[in-house]
Amino acid sequence: MAMVCLSDFEAYAKKYLPKIAWDYFAAGADDCTTRDENILAYKRIRFRPQMLRDVSVVDIRTKILGSEISFPVGIAPTGFHQLAWPDGEKSTARAARAMNTCYIASTYSTCTLEEISAAAPGGLRWFQLYIHRNRAASQQLVQRAEALGFQGLVLTTDVPYTGKRRDDVRNGFRLPPHMKVKNLEQAFEVCKMSPLDPSVTWNDIYWLRSLTRLPIIIKGILTREDAELAVRHGVQGIIVSNHGGRQLDEGPATIDALVEVVEAVRGRVEVYVDGGIRKGSDVLKALALGAKCVFIGRPALWGLAYKGEEGLQDVLRILQDEFRLSMALAGCASVSEIGQHLVQFSKL
């Protein structure tokens, strides 16, 4: 089967993954309105391409927090990669390093931070943190990540409680016995009483800053008000995210929320976006609306399900090629030339 676009990988993963694993990765909250809207919202944005520009050489490199990446697509934090491929997050880390981009490793990895780090030494990696009721465990994770050379700390803010994902409830989802949430104490099991701390507030940003010298990126921001609070609390980056539509259903699509957040921060911190990116042209739209970089979640898992590290590289390579082509066709020879003049919202 020729793998030409990301939907080919999606079809493969749906066909060959065990149903319980596919349902877990695909799940959105409640009616899945927000999950689906993340994709549909990109289709309402139209290009305003610029003609007769010299695009004989197209430079797609960019920098995030000072680190150069080969193109503005990174890998978002998602849990339980061993459900997709036996080597799990080790394969993810190797693919990201091979493609010279950023991988955000999840607290809920099925490989340890040490295993992820050893699998791809020298790769650009950030660590995604959930603050747990056991603050000592969270503190230890942050300090382990920094000691291992992770270069950013991504605090997820939109999970005081886990959203209701109906298929997971129907399936009684839990990890198979041979898989563990490796970064947390052995006794930890998903689907028992949530270890997440629902009392976390903005003041906990100061607590995190007292633990680490790593830049703090805050994930889950969807409004102007929260973007302004994030800047006020000294974060270095914001990921506009609705958790792939897995938390509060019927919130905004992330590409729609991006505009509001970018306007609010006025260039004071870098802004990224995840959710709904399925084509290189989606990446171009996100950058035109002010994102510095996008992060992909489910498509990375589809790539792993196809051929592990090699499959994920294929996914990233397709996005890279599509992004380069979209830039050229829109009249941009470098990422710095991408701006809001390139897009308009469809009146349909």
Side-chain angles (χ1 to χ4, degrees), residues 20 23 64 145 155 191 240 252 291-292:
I20 195 167
D23 285 351
I64 52 173
L155 175 66
C191 302
V240 177
K292 185 78 169 161

Side-chain angles (χ1 to χ4, degrees), residues 3 8-9 26 52 65 79 83 127 138 152 169 184 214 229 234 239 244-245 271 274-275 287 311 323 327 338 342-343:
M3 308 303 267
D8 291 339
F9 293 86
L52 297 174
L65 295 185
L83 287 174
F127 172 62
S138 294
V169 177
L184 296 162
L214 292 177
L229 281 166
I239 303 178
V271 179
D274 67 20
L287 266 65
F323 175 61
M327 272 183 63
I338 300 170
L342 282 183
V343 292

Side-chain angles (χ1 to χ4, degrees), residues 2 13 40 49 76 82 84-85 124 190 206 232 256 299 308 316 322 334:
L40 293 171
Q82 281 183 358
W85 188 255
L124 175 60
V190 178
Y206 299 126
R232 202 178 309 156
D256 291 338
L316 289 167
E322 290 178 348
S334 70

Side-chain angles (χ1 to χ4, degrees), residues 49-56 328 330-333 337 341:
Q50 317 287 293
M51 297 302 134
L52 297 174
R53 307 296 168 109
D54 180 357
V55 288
S56 53
C332 296
E337 294 177 12
H341 63 281

